[in-house]
Amino acid sequence: MVDLDARLVALYDEDNPDGADSDFYRTLGMSMAARSVIDLGCGTGSLTVSMADAGMSAVGVDPSTTMLDYAKRRPGADGVTWVLGDSRDLPNVGADYAVMTGNVAQHIPDGDWQRTLADLHRALRPGGTLAFESRNPAAEAWRAWSAPEHTIRETTSGSLEEWSEAREISPGVVRLVAHNTFTDTGEQLSYTEDLFFRESSELEHQLEHAGFRAEAVYGDWRCGALTDSSQVLVLVATARWPIGLRDTLEQEPAPVATAGASPNGPRARASMQPDCGRPRCRCRCRCRSAFKTIDELPPGRRPD
């Protein structure tokens, strides 16, 4: 990939402030009492550092040197392990939780995307949680990205003129060209990348193929239902146990004595599933999501 100019990276947090998306990912991590988290495609590290500040052992991974250089200068950055690279460079830490934010999933082409999911499955512990978002193809957000008018703003590096062009080059693939001109010097910087718009059914199938079970697909950051008008697909998935291990654990346990019954009698047998360990789970490991809405969390565990 072509690395971004450091002057543009310095504007990233201004253009992408901490908001409902970051609240969702932090809340999800707190709801499962995650002790370790991997942020793949961490960018400038805002969310990564905030999760480390919340007590999680955090790893931030990004292929951009300028992004990581910026992240390492953030207050609290010393509490994060920073890795330059992509999913192939993920540490085998058996993490509780992994996230891909900022529509990172759309920047990864199909072949690499399936490998990325497999790499994430390898980096998570059995039963670990993966969460990420992708723009809803039905909303066709890219149609609003090509605008005839240019915008100009003042930056610490001088006046910056910006505009973009977007077109669908094949079904589900949009080519975005972002133009930037520092008007004081006339210096022009343009970046071209292809973005991949995947249907929710396709993403669920790909997760299944990589060893995950899709627990929920939401249509907004407050766990609302997915509709054609939803701007975003928010996916939460669980890393399945390695083949054979879960079956062994789910075998009928040794008989347990029950009052009024023989230790070997039918009333002594219990059907026990491996516990998912999720707080507020009333259905053992078969719960469908870590939480239903942010409002379900106790006040002390909701995002500020």
Side-chain angles (χ1 to χ4, degrees), residues 80-94:
V80 175
T81 299
W82 303 104
V83 177
L84 177 65
D86 58 24
S87 66
R88 290 168 291 191
D89 302 293
L90 292 174
N92 292 318
V93 294

Side-chain angles (χ1 to χ4, degrees), residues 9-31:
V9 170
L11 302 173
Y12 185 85
D13 288 352
E14 177 184 330
D15 294 340
N16 302 273
D18 191 288
D21 52 347
S22 295
D23 286 344
F24 175 90
Y25 291 115
R26 279 190 294 264
T27 301
L28 181 56
M30 290 188 293
S31 76

Side-chain angles (χ1 to χ4, degrees), residues 4-18 43-44 46 66-67 70-71 73-74 151-163 179-182 189 191:
L4 292 174
D5 187 278
R7 292 167 294 179
L8 300 180
V9 170
L11 302 173
Y12 185 85
D13 288 352
E14 177 184 330
D15 294 340
N16 302 273
D18 191 288
T44 59
S46 174
T66 50
M67 284 282 195
Y70 188 95
R73 296 194 296 270
R74 305 188 75 92
T151 62
I152 298 178
R153 58 172 159 169
E154 294 302 318
T155 75
T156 56
S157 302
S159 296
L160 178 65
E161 182 180 10
E162 301 166 288
W163 72 101
H179 301 280
N180 308 269
T181 300
F182 288 97
L189 300 169
Y191 298 94

Side-chain angles (χ1 to χ4, degrees), residues 44-64:
T44 59
S46 174
L47 176 63
T48 327
V49 169
S50 73
M51 291 193 287
D53 288 344
M56 301 180 208
S57 175
V59 176
V61 183
D62 202 276
S64 167

